[in-house]
Amino acid sequence: MTRVGVVGAGMIGRDHVRRLTSVISRVTVTAVADVDAGAAALVAASTGAAVHPDGLAVIAAADVDAVVVCSWGDTHEEYVLAAIAAGKPVFCEKPLATSPQACLRIVEAEAARGTRLVQVGYMRRYDAAYRALKKVLDSGAIGAPLMMHCAHRNAAVPDFYRPENIITDTAVHEIDMVRWMFGTEITAVRVLRPRASRNAGAIPDPLLLVLELANEVLVDVEISVNARYGYDIRGEILGENGTAALGDQNPITVRRAGHLTSPVPADWRERFGPAYDVELREWVAGHMPDAPGAWDGYAASVVSDAAVQSLRTGERVPITLAARPKLH
Amino acid sequence: MTRVGVVGAGMIGRDHVRRLTSVISRVTVTAVADVDAGAAALVAASTGAAVHPDGLAVIAAADVDAVVVCSWGDTHEEYVLAAIAAGKPVFCEKPLATSPQACLRIVEAEAARGTRLVQVGYMRRYDAAYRALKKVLDSGAIGAPLMMHCAHRNAAVPDFYRPENIITDTAVHEIDMVRWMFGTEITAVRVLRPRASRNAGAIPDPLLLVLELANEVLVDVEISVNARYGYDIRGEILGENGTAALGDQNPITVRRAGHLTSPVPADWRERFGPAYDVELREWVAGHMPDAPGAWDGYAASVVSDAAVQSLRTGERVPITLAARPKLH
Amino acid sequence: MTRVGVVGAGMIGRDHVRRLTSVISRVTVTAVADVDAGAAALVAASTGAAVHPDGLAVIAAADVDAVVVCSWGDTHEEYVLAAIAAGKPVFCEKPLATSPQACLRIVEAEAARGTRLVQVGYMRRYDAAYRALKKVLDSGAIGAPLMMHCAHRNAAVPDFYRPENIITDTAVHEIDMVRWMFGTEITAVRVLRPRASRNAGAIPDPLLLVLELANEVLVDVEISVNARYGYDIRGEILGENGTAALGDQNPITVRRAGHLTSPVPADWRERFGPAYDVELREWVAGHMPDAPGAWDGYAASVVSDAAVQSLRTGERVPITLAARPKLH
Amino acid sequence: MTRVGVVGAGMIGRDHVRRLTSVISRVTVTAVADVDAGAAALVAASTGAAVHPDGLAVIAAADVDAVVVCSWGDTHEEYVLAAIAAGKPVFCEKPLATSPQACLRIVEAEAARGTRLVQVGYMRRYDAAYRALKKVLDSGAIGAPLMMHCAHRNAAVPDFYRPENIITDTAVHEIDMVRWMFGTEITAVRVLRPRASRNAGAIPDPLLLVLELANEVLVDVEISVNARYGYDIRGEILGENGTAALGDQNPITVRRAGHLTSPVPADWRERFGPAYDVELREWVAGHMPDAPGAWDGYAASVVSDAAVQSLRTGERVPITLAARPKLH
Ligand SMILES: [Mg+2]
Ligand SMILES: [Mg+2]
Ligand SMILES: [Mg+2]
Ligand SMILES: [Mg+2]
C-alpha cells in the first residue's frame, strides 16, 4: 500500500484524490495541505488523511511515501525540489515549473540525486489510442515519419484564458505528445493566426502551430479553444509508405431524421478520463519507462516559451535546449 | 446509334427516356406508346420520337432496334413475347410478368427462339457497392459464405401499398440480389412479423424474411417501408474466414452541437441513381453476362409468390422451380 | 473496505481476484477455497487471503462480508443458497445454476429472505456502448422499438464446446442483454441452422436465434463461435422513427498498401475488459438497480433451455416463466 | 447536338473524346488535330471526326460549335485566343496558359469580346463531395469559416516530375478549389518543406502549403506525390460553430485476419472519374455559374508562380492580382 501525500486540494487535486481512493487499488492518501483550509478539510474528511500546515510538511511526513503536487504553478518548483531532497517520488501536475530556468533547476537536482523521482502530468502518453498510434509508428508499418497533422479543440475555456494560456495550458499537451511520439526534440516553432473566432472574445483563436523536429519531421497543430461543438482531438502521421491516425471512437450510431449521428465528447474528462486513471495507476505501480519526467517538463517549458514569443511576433523561433543529463 | 422504342410513358418510362436521351450516348428514342396519349406526347416532344397507337406497333416499327417496356405489369407478358417474336432485345421493368406461369411462358419463348433477348429491371446488380461485395466474395477472401444479413428500408411508400407489395415491389430486389450474389437458387422462404410500426397504417411493417439457399446459406432480410429516417440498404456476408459488408458512403461529415453527422440518402434515386444509369448503359451496349434475364424474372416471381404465401400463413414455404433451359 | 471471500480459484476466479486487488479500490480478498488446493494457494499468496477447506467455510467466515462464486456451475446452487442463508451479498458467475428448477429455488430463497443479495455475471449491462444504446432507446429518440439485429462472433472457442454450449455459454449473454435492453421477457425462441463452417468441426456453427419478446419486438441473433477474423459484437435496434446501433470503436486507422484498416478486437477480454471492471466495481459499491439478479439468472436459464430444445428440433419453442416475486 | 472540335489528341485528349462520345449525350466530335498525325487518326477512326492540319483549322471549321483544347500547355494561349476571336466556347485543360501574363491576355480578350467563352479544366468544382461540403459551408451550419486543412496524396507521379510540378500540376487543384470554396482570393502563400520521402527521388516531397485568404481564413495543404498507399484527398473546414469535412466513401468493408479494411482509391481516375464526366456534361449543356473561367485560370497561375517562388526561397510570398474585369 503506497501512502501518498497531496499538496494542493483544488479541483484537480480533489480529482486526483478521488482517483487514488476510488479508482486505483493499493494506494492510500495519508496527508494533505492547501492554502485553503476548507479544501484540505474536504479531502481529510473523505479519506482520513491528516491535514498538514503546508506542502513542505506533507512532503516531510513520515507516513508519506510519495507526493502528488497540484498546487498553483508558481509553487511547483519549491515542492518538487523538496520531494527530490527527501528522496520521495513526486507526481507534479503540469507545468513542472513556470519558467525554463526553474524546470532546469529541478532537472539538475534530480540528476544530482541520481535517481528518477519526478513525473509530470502529461497524460496523452497514457491514452490507449495514442499508444496504439505510437506502436504502429514504431513497428515501421508506415515507414519513416515525414509529417504529423494534429488538432486540439476545446468546446470552451475558462474566463481567465489569455492569449498565452492557449499555448501554455492547451497546446503544451500536443508539444509533449509530439516529443514522445517521435522520440526527438522540437527545434523550432512558428505560430500562425487565422481569422479569429467571434466566440473567442479578445483572444486569438484558433491558432496554427508549426513545429520542426530534430529528425526533420514537420508537425502542424490546430489549437481551437472555443470550438463550441465539442472536444475533439486529432492526429495523423504521414509516413513514407502509409499513414496512421487516431480513429473515431463512436460507442453508438443513431440514424434519425435524414442523418446518421454519433456523439462527440463534451470535454477532456470524457475523452481522456481513462488516460488519467492509467497515468496515476502506472505512477503508483512505479512504471517509469514512458513516463514524462523532469527533462520532459523542462523541454515543454522551453518550447512553450518559444511558441508564446512566436505568437507575439509572428516569426519562426528556433529552440535551444540545455545539455541533457545522462539520467534522462 | 441504337434506336429504342418505349412502351409505357409513365413516371418510370419518362425517367428511362431521360436517361436514354440525356445520360447515355449512342442511343436514340424513336418510338413511343402509352394508353395515356398525353404522356406519349410528352416523350415525343422531348425526343422527336414517333407516337404509335399501342405497344405492339412500337415493337413492330421498322426504326426500332430494341424495346423498353415500362407499362403496367399486367401488359408485360404480351409486349415481351412480341419483342421476342420480333427478335428484338427487350428491357422490361420489373416484374417480368405478374405470375410465375406468365414468366415461364416468356422463358420458354426465349429458349425456343434460342437467343437471349430479355433483360429485367433488377438494378442492384449494377450498383458499384454490390459489385465490389460480390467481387470480394468471389475472390475467396472471406472463405465460403455461410449467412447474409440484409436490410432494406424505405422512408415511406405510396398510399397504394398493400401487404403483398412489401414483397413484390420491395423485397423482390433483395430476392434477385441474393440469387445473383450467391449464384444459386432460393429453396425456401419464411416471413416473420415483428411488432408493427404505427407509421405503417394497416400494413404489417417491418417484416423479416428468412431465405434458405440451395447451397445452405441462410439469409435474413429486414424489410421496412416506413422507416421515416431515410433510405437505407445494408448487406453483410459472413464467410468461414471473415465478413464483407456494404460500407457507409458519406460524402461529408459535419461536427456540430455535440454530434458528428452524415447524411442518409432520402430515397432510392439518391442511393441507386448511378446503378440505373449503368443498367441501361450496359443494356444499350449489349453486355449480357451479369444481366438479369427471363429466368431471373421467373425465379423472382416464384419466390415472391412463396413469400406472400408465408406472409399470410406464417409458415415456411418450400420453393420448386421448373427445369432451367440451357439458354440460361 | 469490503472483505470478499472467493469460492473457486480457476481461471475466471483468479481474474476476478486480480480485479478485486489490482483494479478496484476499497475491497480486499480475505478468504478463498478451491477443490484444487494449488489454485487456492496461488490466490492466497498474491492476496494474503486465508485458504479454507471448502466454499461453505468461505461463506461462513467471520471476515467475509460478501462472496464471489466462480466454481463449476454444478456447485453454484449450493453456494448461492448458503450465501443467501448467511445474509451475505453474492456475486455468482454465470450460470446462476444449471437448471431452471435450481435457479427458481434460489429466486424463492432470496424472496423468502426479503432482500436482494444475488448478482449474476452478465456483464453486457456494464458495457459503456450497450448502456449508451439503452439510453438512446429509453430517451424515445428512435421511437418505439420494433426489431433488433445482433451478432456475437468469437474467433474460436475451447475444445470442450458441444452444440449446447453455443447457447448456454455464448448466446446466453445476448439473451440476458435483450431482456435488459427492452425491459421485458422473451416469449418464444427459434434456432435456425445455416450452412456449417468447416472451421467448427462437429458443432453446428453459425446459428441464427430468433427471439420473440412480450412487447412483440423481434430479435435475430447470429452466433458464430469460429469466426476466425476476431471478436465482434453487433447490435442495432430498429425503432419506429430511426435506428440506434453499437458503433465501431477504432482507436486507430492505418492507410497502407491500398487499404484503410482498423484493428478488430481479438477476444472478449479486449472488447469487454472495462465492462468486467465496472461490473465488479458497482457490485462492491452496492449499486443494484440495473444489476442482473436471481430472477434474471432464472429467466436466462429457461430461455437457454428452450433454445437448446429448438436447436435439436428446429421448431419454435414457446416460453413460460414462473410467477415473478415482488422482490424483482 | 453540339459539334465539338478537339485540339490535341494525346492521353487526356483521347480520354475527353471517349467521354464526349461514350458517356455524354447530345454531343458529337466532328474535328480533330494533333502534331502527331497518328494520334489524330485514332480519334478520327473512333468518332468519324475530320482530321485537320492544325488546331487553328479545327477552331475555324464550319462544323465546329465548341472547342476542347488538350494540346501542350505552351500552345494553349494561341488556341484559346483563336476560339475567343471566333466566338466559340472553349474548354481548355489546365493550365489556361503557362504564365500569368499569358492568362491575363486571355482574360482581357474575353472581356473585350464581352461574353464568357472560356472554361478551364479544374474539376474539383464538379465533385459531389466538394459540392456537398460547399453547400454545408454556404448554409451557415458551421458558422463563419476560420481554417481549412487539406491533403492531396498521389500514390506516385510520372518520371518527368520536377519540384515545380508539385505546385503547378498537383497543388494547383487545391489552389483553385480553395478560391471557389470560399469565394475569395488568396493573398499570400508559404511553402514549408518537411523531411523528404526517400520514395520521391530528387524532388522535395511532401510539402506543406500555407495559404492566406482575403477573408483571413488560413488554409494548410499537404501535398504528397509519392504516398505509395493510394490516392487520398482530404479537406476539413473549421467554422466558428462546427466543422465540415470530406467523408470516407467506402463501398465495402471487409473484416479479415484481425482487421477491418476498406479500399483506398488507386488514383484520380477512381476518385474523380465522375467529376470529370460532370465537368464536361455541364460544359456541353452550357451551365456556367460555378464553372472555372479565364479569371480563375489567371488567378491559379499567379498563385502557382508565388508558391514556386516560396518553394525556392522558403519565404512567405504576398500575392497581387490585376484588376478583375466586370465580366467575372
Ligand atoms: Mg493535464
Ligand atoms: Mg427497379
Ligand atoms: Mg460472463
Ligand atoms: Mg485536371
Side-chain angles (χ1 to χ4, degrees):
Chain A
M1 190 71 74
T2 303
R3 299 168 302 173
V4 167
V6 173
V7 180
M11 195 180 67
I12 295 176
R14 288 203 298 272
D15 195 48
H16 280 319
V17 166
R18 175 193 62 73
R19 198 166 277 117
L20 292 168
T21 53
S22 306
V23 178
I24 301 174
S25 59
R26 296 180 177 163
V27 64
T28 183
V29 176
T30 53
V32 65
D34 195 289
V35 290
D36 173 356
L42 271 177
V43 167
S46 73
T47 62
V51 175
H52 288 259
D54 59 31
L56 295 178
V58 166
I59 294 163
D63 65 349
V64 163
D65 303 319
V67 181
V68 167
V69 175
C70 302
S71 51
W72 285 103
D74 289 336
T75 68
H76 285 187
E77 181 186 5
E78 179 182 11
Y79 294 132
V80 173
L81 287 173
I84 293 172
K88 297 185 180 181
V90 55
F91 177 92
C92 179
E93 254 313 312
K94 70 178 181 88
L96 176 58
T98 51
S99 73
Q101 295 74 24
C103 290
L104 198 54
R105 285 191 289 270
I106 292 170
V107 167
E108 287 164 356
E110 191 195 35
R113 179 103 197 169
T115 320
R116 287 194 58 170
L117 292 168
V118 180
Q119 180 169 332
V120 190
Y122 293 118
M123 89 300 162
R124 294 288 178 86
R125 303 181 181 210
Y126 299 90
D127 176 64
Y130 275 107
R131 285 185 165 187
L133 186 61
K134 181 161 171 53
K135 201 171 159 187
V136 168
L137 175 63
D138 292 348
S139 76
I142 61 167
L146 305 173
M147 302 189 69
M148 184 171 188
H149 307 294
C150 306
H152 179 132
R153 298 180 186 145
N154 287 82
V157 283
D159 285 343
F160 71 74
Y161 251 60
R162 298 176 54 196
E164 57 269 30
N165 293 100
I166 304 178
I167 304 297
T168 56
D169 286 15
T170 302
V172 72
H173 278 294
E174 305 286 329
I175 288 168
D176 180 68
M177 179 276 291
V178 162
R179 293 182 58 257
W180 163 73
M181 182 64 70
F182 295 103
T184 193
E185 298 294 352
I186 296 167
T187 54
V189 58
R190 176 149 38 193
V191 180
L192 302 175
R193 290 188 181 207
R195 178 172 175 169
S197 171
R198 287 165 299 188
N199 293 330
I203 62 174
D205 172 29
L207 297 177
L208 186 73
L209 273 68
V210 179
L211 305 172
E212 303 173 24
L213 307 194
N215 61 3
E216 297 184 68
V217 167
L218 190 76
V219 180
D220 54 278
V221 186
E222 176 207 315
I223 307 288
S224 292
V225 296
N226 290 281
R228 288 295 182 266
Y229 74 93
Y231 184 75
D232 206 354
I233 299 294
R234 313 278 188 84
E236 180 183 34
I237 300 171
L238 173 73
E240 285 184 327
N241 299 320
T243 78
L246 301 176
D248 275 323
Q249 300 185 53
N250 300 322
I252 52 162
T253 298
V254 176
R255 284 168 174 82
R256 195 166 169 277
H259 288 85
L260 177 161
T261 75
S262 293
V264 170
D267 58 22
W268 54 269
R269 281 173 199 83
E270 193 175 337
R271 172 65 181 83
F272 285 117
Y276 281 97
D277 294 350
V278 174
E279 175 189 52
L280 271 197
R281 181 172 291 132
E282 295 198 4
W283 177 68
V284 166
H287 296 309
M288 293 296 277
D290 244 15
W295 178 260
D296 301 302
Y298 162 68
S301 177
V302 174
V303 177
S304 288
D305 265 25
V308 170
Q309 185 184 333
S310 178
L311 172 62
R312 286 180 187 142
T313 64
E315 299 296 321
R316 174 181 177 275
V317 178
I319 288 164
T320 311
L321 297 174
R324 187 167 182 155
K326 274 190 191 162
L327 187 61
H328 289 283
Chain B
M1 190 73 71
T2 303
R3 297 168 302 173
V4 167
V6 174
V7 180
M11 194 181 66
I12 296 177
R14 288 203 298 270
D15 195 47
H16 280 318
V17 166
R18 175 194 61 75
R19 198 166 277 118
L20 292 168
T21 51
S22 306
V23 178
I24 301 174
S25 59
R26 295 179 176 165
V27 64
T28 182
V29 176
T30 52
V32 65
D34 196 289
V35 290
D36 174 355
L42 271 177
V43 167
S46 73
T47 63
V51 174
H52 288 258
D54 59 31
L56 295 179
V58 166
I59 294 164
D63 65 349
V64 164
D65 304 317
V67 180
V68 168
V69 175
C70 302
S71 51
W72 285 103
D74 289 337
T75 67
H76 286 187
E77 181 187 5
E78 179 183 10
Y79 295 132
V80 173
L81 288 173
I84 292 170
K88 296 185 180 182
V90 55
F91 177 91
C92 179
E93 254 313 311
K94 67 175 183 93
L96 175 59
T98 50
S99 74
Q101 294 73 23
C103 290
L104 198 54
R105 285 191 289 270
I106 292 171
V107 166
E108 287 164 356
E110 191 193 34
R113 178 103 199 171
T115 320
R116 288 194 57 172
L117 290 169
V118 180
Q119 180 168 332
V120 190
Y122 293 118
M123 89 300 162
R124 293 289 177 84
R125 303 180 180 208
Y126 300 89
D127 175 65
Y130 274 106
R131 286 185 164 185
L133 186 61
K134 182 160 169 53
K135 200 172 161 187
V136 167
L137 176 64
D138 292 347
S139 77
I142 62 168
L146 305 173
M147 301 189 70
M148 185 171 186
H149 306 296
C150 305
H152 179 132
R153 298 180 185 143
N154 286 83
V157 283
D159 285 342
F160 70 74
Y161 252 60
R162 298 176 53 196
E164 58 270 30
N165 293 101
I166 304 179
I167 305 296
T168 56
D169 285 15
T170 302
V172 72
H173 279 293
E174 304 285 328
I175 288 168
D176 180 68
M177 180 276 292
V178 162
R179 293 182 59 257
W180 163 75
M181 181 66 70
F182 296 103
T184 193
E185 296 296 350
I186 296 167
T187 55
V189 59
R190 177 152 33 196
V191 179
L192 302 175
R193 290 189 182 206
R195 177 172 176 169
S197 171
R198 289 165 297 189
N199 294 329
I203 62 174
D205 172 30
L207 298 177
L208 186 72
L209 272 67
V210 180
L211 305 173
E212 303 173 26
L213 308 193
N215 61 3
E216 296 185 68
V217 167
L218 190 77
V219 179
D220 54 278
V221 185
E222 175 206 317
I223 306 288
S224 292
V225 296
N226 290 281
R228 287 293 183 267
Y229 74 92
Y231 184 76
D232 205 355
I233 298 294
R234 313 277 190 86
E236 179 182 35
I237 301 171
L238 173 73
E240 286 184 326
N241 299 319
T243 78
L246 301 176
D248 275 323
Q249 300 186 51
N250 300 321
I252 52 162
T253 299
V254 175
R255 285 169 173 82
R256 195 163 169 280
H259 287 86
L260 176 161
T261 75
S262 293
V264 170
D267 59 21
W268 54 270
R269 282 172 198 84
E270 192 175 336
R271 172 66 182 81
F272 285 118
Y276 281 96
D277 294 349
V278 174
E279 176 189 50
L280 270 197
R281 181 171 291 133
E282 295 197 3
W283 177 69
V284 166
H287 296 308
M288 292 297 278
D290 243 16
W295 178 260
D296 301 301
Y298 163 68
S301 178
V302 175
V303 177
S304 288
D305 264 24
V308 170
Q309 184 184 337
S310 179
L311 171 62
R312 285 180 188 142
T313 64
E315 300 297 320
R316 171 180 178 277
V317 178
I319 289 164
T320 311
L321 296 175
R324 187 168 183 153
K326 274 192 190 160
L327 186 64
H328 289 282
Chain C
M1 189 72 73
T2 303
R3 297 168 303 172
V4 167
V6 174
V7 180
M11 195 180 65
I12 295 177
R14 288 203 299 271
D15 196 47
H16 279 318
V17 166
R18 176 193 61 73
R19 200 166 276 118
L20 292 168
T21 52
S22 305
V23 178
I24 302 174
S25 59
R26 295 180 177 163
V27 64
T28 182
V29 175
T30 52
V32 65
D34 196 289
V35 290
D36 173 356
L42 271 177
V43 167
S46 73
T47 61
V51 175
H52 288 258
D54 58 31
L56 295 178
V58 166
I59 294 164
D63 64 349
V64 164
D65 304 318
V67 180
V68 168
V69 175
C70 302
S71 49
W72 284 103
D74 288 337
T75 68
H76 285 188
E77 181 185 5
E78 179 182 11
Y79 294 132
V80 173
L81 287 174
I84 292 171
K88 297 185 179 181
V90 54
F91 176 92
C92 179
E93 254 312 311
K94 70 177 181 88
L96 176 58
T98 50
S99 73
Q101 295 73 23
C103 290
L104 198 54
R105 285 191 289 270
I106 291 170
V107 166
E108 287 164 356
E110 191 194 35
R113 179 104 198 168
T115 320
R116 288 194 57 171
L117 290 169
V118 180
Q119 180 169 331
V120 190
Y122 293 119
M123 89 301 161
R124 293 290 177 83
R125 302 182 181 208
Y126 300 91
D127 176 64
Y130 274 106
R131 286 185 164 185
L133 186 61
K134 182 162 170 51
K135 201 171 160 187
V136 167
L137 175 64
D138 291 348
S139 77
I142 61 167
L146 305 173
M147 302 188 69
M148 184 170 188
H149 307 295
C150 305
H152 179 132
R153 298 180 185 144
N154 287 82
V157 284
D159 284 342
F160 71 74
Y161 251 60
R162 297 176 53 196
E164 57 268 31
N165 292 101
I166 303 179
I167 304 297
T168 57
D169 286 14
T170 301
V172 72
H173 279 294
E174 304 286 328
I175 287 168
D176 180 68
M177 179 277 291
V178 162
R179 293 182 59 257
W180 163 75
M181 182 64 71
F182 296 103
T184 193
E185 298 296 351
I186 296 167
T187 55
V189 59
R190 176 150 37 194
V191 179
L192 301 175
R193 291 189 181 206
R195 178 173 176 169
S197 171
R198 288 165 298 187
N199 294 329
I203 63 175
D205 171 30
L207 299 177
L208 186 72
L209 272 68
V210 180
L211 306 172
E212 302 173 25
L213 308 193
N215 60 3
E216 296 185 68
V217 167
L218 190 77
V219 180
D220 54 278
V221 185
E222 175 207 316
I223 306 287
S224 292
V225 296
N226 291 281
R228 288 292 183 267
Y229 74 93
Y231 185 75
D232 205 355
I233 298 295
R234 314 277 189 85
E236 179 182 35
I237 300 170
L238 173 72
E240 285 184 326
N241 299 319
T243 78
L246 301 175
D248 276 323
Q249 301 186 52
N250 300 322
I252 52 162
T253 299
V254 175
R255 284 169 174 82
R256 194 165 170 278
H259 287 86
L260 176 160
T261 75
S262 293
V264 169
D267 58 22
W268 53 270
R269 283 172 197 83
E270 192 175 336
R271 172 65 182 82
F272 285 119
Y276 281 97
D277 293 350
V278 174
E279 176 189 50
L280 270 197
R281 181 171 292 132
E282 295 197 5
W283 178 69
V284 167
H287 296 308
M288 293 297 276
D290 243 15
W295 178 261
D296 301 302
Y298 163 69
S301 177
V302 175
V303 178
S304 288
D305 265 25
V308 169
Q309 184 184 335
S310 179
L311 171 61
R312 286 180 188 142
T313 64
E315 298 297 321
R316 173 180 178 275
V317 178
I319 288 164
T320 311
L321 296 174
R324 187 167 182 154
K326 274 193 192 160
L327 186 62
H328 290 284
Chain D
M1 189 72 73
T2 304
R3 298 168 301 171
V4 168
V6 173
V7 179
M11 193 180 67
I12 296 177
R14 288 202 299 270
D15 195 48
H16 280 317
V17 166
R18 175 193 62 75
R19 199 166 277 117
L20 291 168
T21 53
S22 305
V23 179
I24 301 174
S25 59
R26 295 178 177 165
V27 63
T28 183
V29 175
T30 52
V32 64
D34 196 289
V35 290
D36 173 355
L42 271 177
V43 167
S46 73
T47 62
V51 175
H52 288 258
D54 59 32
L56 295 179
V58 166
I59 294 163
D63 65 350
V64 163
D65 303 317
V67 180
V68 168
V69 175
C70 301
S71 51
W72 285 103
D74 289 337
T75 67
H76 286 186
E77 182 186 5
E78 179 182 10
Y79 294 132
V80 173
L81 288 175
I84 292 171
K88 297 185 179 181
V90 55
F91 177 91
C92 180
E93 255 312 312
K94 71 177 180 87
L96 176 58
T98 51
S99 73
Q101 294 74 22
C103 290
L104 198 54
R105 284 191 290 270
I106 292 171
V107 167
E108 287 164 356
E110 191 194 35
R113 178 104 198 169
T115 318
R116 287 193 58 171
L117 292 168
V118 180
Q119 180 169 332
V120 190
Y122 292 118
M123 89 299 162
R124 294 287 178 85
R125 304 180 180 209
Y126 299 90
D127 176 65
Y130 274 106
R131 286 185 165 185
L133 186 61
K134 181 160 170 55
K135 201 171 159 187
V136 168
L137 175 64
D138 291 348
S139 76
I142 62 167
L146 306 173
M147 302 189 70
M148 185 171 187
H149 307 295
C150 305
H152 179 132
R153 298 179 186 145
N154 286 83
V157 283
D159 285 342
F160 71 74
Y161 251 61
R162 297 176 53 196
E164 58 269 29
N165 292 100
I166 303 179
I167 304 297
T168 57
D169 285 15
T170 302
V172 71
H173 278 294
E174 304 286 329
I175 288 168
D176 180 67
M177 179 276 292
V178 161
R179 293 182 58 256
W180 164 73
M181 182 65 70
F182 296 104
T184 192
E185 297 295 349
I186 296 167
T187 54
V189 58
R190 176 150 37 194
V191 179
L192 302 175
R193 289 187 182 208
R195 177 171 175 170
S197 170
R198 287 165 299 187
N199 294 329
I203 63 174
D205 171 29
L207 298 178
L208 187 72
L209 273 68
V210 179
L211 305 173
E212 302 172 26
L213 307 193
N215 61 2
E216 296 185 69
V217 167
L218 190 77
V219 179
D220 54 278
V221 185
E222 176 207 316
I223 306 287
S224 293
V225 296
N226 290 281
R228 287 294 183 267
Y229 73 93
Y231 185 75
D232 205 354
I233 298 294
R234 314 277 190 84
E236 180 183 33
I237 300 171
L238 174 73
E240 285 184 327
N241 299 319
T243 77
L246 301 176
D248 276 323
Q249 300 186 52
N250 300 322
I252 53 162
T253 298
V254 176
R255 286 170 173 81
R256 196 166 169 277
H259 288 85
L260 177 161
T261 75
S262 293
V264 169
D267 58 23
W268 55 269
R269 280 172 200 83
E270 192 175 337
R271 172 65 182 83
F272 285 118
Y276 281 96
D277 294 350
V278 174
E279 176 189 50
L280 270 198
R281 181 172 291 132
E282 295 197 4
W283 177 68
V284 166
H287 296 310
M288 292 297 278
D290 243 16
W295 178 260
D296 301 302
Y298 162 69
S301 178
V302 175
V303 177
S304 289
D305 265 25
V308 170
Q309 184 184 335
S310 178
L311 172 61
R312 285 181 188 142
T313 63
E315 300 297 320
R316 173 180 177 276
V317 178
I319 289 164
T320 310
L321 296 175
R324 187 168 181 153
K326 274 191 191 161
L327 186 62
H328 289 284

